[in-house]
Amino acid sequence: MSGFLDRAKEQAQSALNQGKQKVEEVQQHRAGGDLLKKLGAAYYAEKRGSGTPEATQSALTALEAHISAHGDAFLHG
């Protein structure tokens, strides 16, 4: 009986870990999308005369750092 409970506990822990991983992926995807929107907004503001090249570069640097750390999957879907 304890073997059955041990297996059930392992399966539950595995499912919990998979769920946590999926939540983290979704959060990273959203963060990447937010950074991409900020880059677009900074670029638009710069081209319209109300933004600066520094703000655009800062947004680009933040996006590139995110891509380096988490990949660019958010760009493809």
Side-chain angles (χ1 to χ4, degrees):
M1 184 67 153
S2 70
F4 171 77
L5 293 176
D6 289 340
R7 284 193 306 273
K9 182 179 176 182
E10 288 174 12
Q11 289 176 347
Q13 187 63 41
S14 176
L16 179 63
N17 290 339
Q18 288 175 348
K20 286 180 183 179
Q21 183 179 5
K22 184 63 177 173
V23 167
E24 187 175 307
E25 289 174 12
V26 168
Q27 289 173 338
Q28 291 171 0
H29 188 85
R30 284 184 184 159
D34 289 345
L35 289 170
L36 190 59
K37 287 178 188 175
K38 287 179 183 178
L39 174 59
Y43 179 78
Y44 180 77
E46 180 183 349
K47 293 300 174 186
R48 298 284 294 170
S50 61
T52 65
E54 292 81 14
T56 302
Q57 185 58 48
S58 177
L60 179 60
T61 300
L63 179 62
E64 288 174 337
H66 179 81
I67 289 171
S68 292
H70 306 290
D72 65 353
F74 68 94
L75 294 172
H76 307 292

